[in-house]
Amino acid sequence: MLSGKLIAENLLNVSSSVMKKYNRIEQNPDVMFGKPVIKGTRITVEHILHKLADGMSYEEILEDHPHIKREDIQAAQHFAADYIGEEEIVYSNDKNK
């Protein structure tokens, strides 16, 4: 099992490499606890993804957040896909866990 520190370091490494690709997504430790957000807002990528997962359309999200653009929603989706794609998965053979 990975230690909390190792997981945090891996999260930072993956996040940093993904962040370089997106000018609409930013991460700042002083904004939303360092979670990735739509640039210039406090709207997290996670929040956008939850809205999409709940069945909201782009238009409904844009109505809720008129200061963001369609490209911001797309950037959030691309960020999340790339983040998961770069994530290192560790399997355990321990059958007691």
Side-chain angles (χ1 to χ4, degrees), residues 38-89:
I38 303 297
K39 191 171 189 174
T41 75
R42 297 178 66 80
I43 302 169
T44 62
V45 167
E46 175 186 10
H47 185 65
I48 296 295
L49 295 176
H50 278 292
K51 286 181 175 252
L52 291 166
D54 288 340
M56 288 184 78
S57 69
Y58 277 31
E59 289 73 24
E60 290 170 319
I61 295 170
L62 294 171
E63 284 177 24
D64 281 356
H65 306 284
H67 51 285
I68 68 171
K69 297 186 178 348
R70 180 178 207 81
E71 294 82 5
D72 295 322
I73 299 170
Q74 291 169 328
Q77 290 179 293
H78 285 288
F79 174 87
D82 284 349
Y83 182 89
I84 290 170
E86 292 187 26
E87 187 175 51
E88 186 174 321
I89 299 173

Side-chain angles (χ1 to χ4, degrees), residues 17-36:
S17 66
V18 172
M19 290 300 291
K20 294 175 186 172
K21 299 177 185 177
Y22 299 101
N23 60 358
R24 294 184 170 273
I25 306 295
E26 65 184 357
Q27 203 169 6
N28 179 334
D30 296 327
V31 177
M32 300 305 290
F33 305 102
K35 290 185 175 189

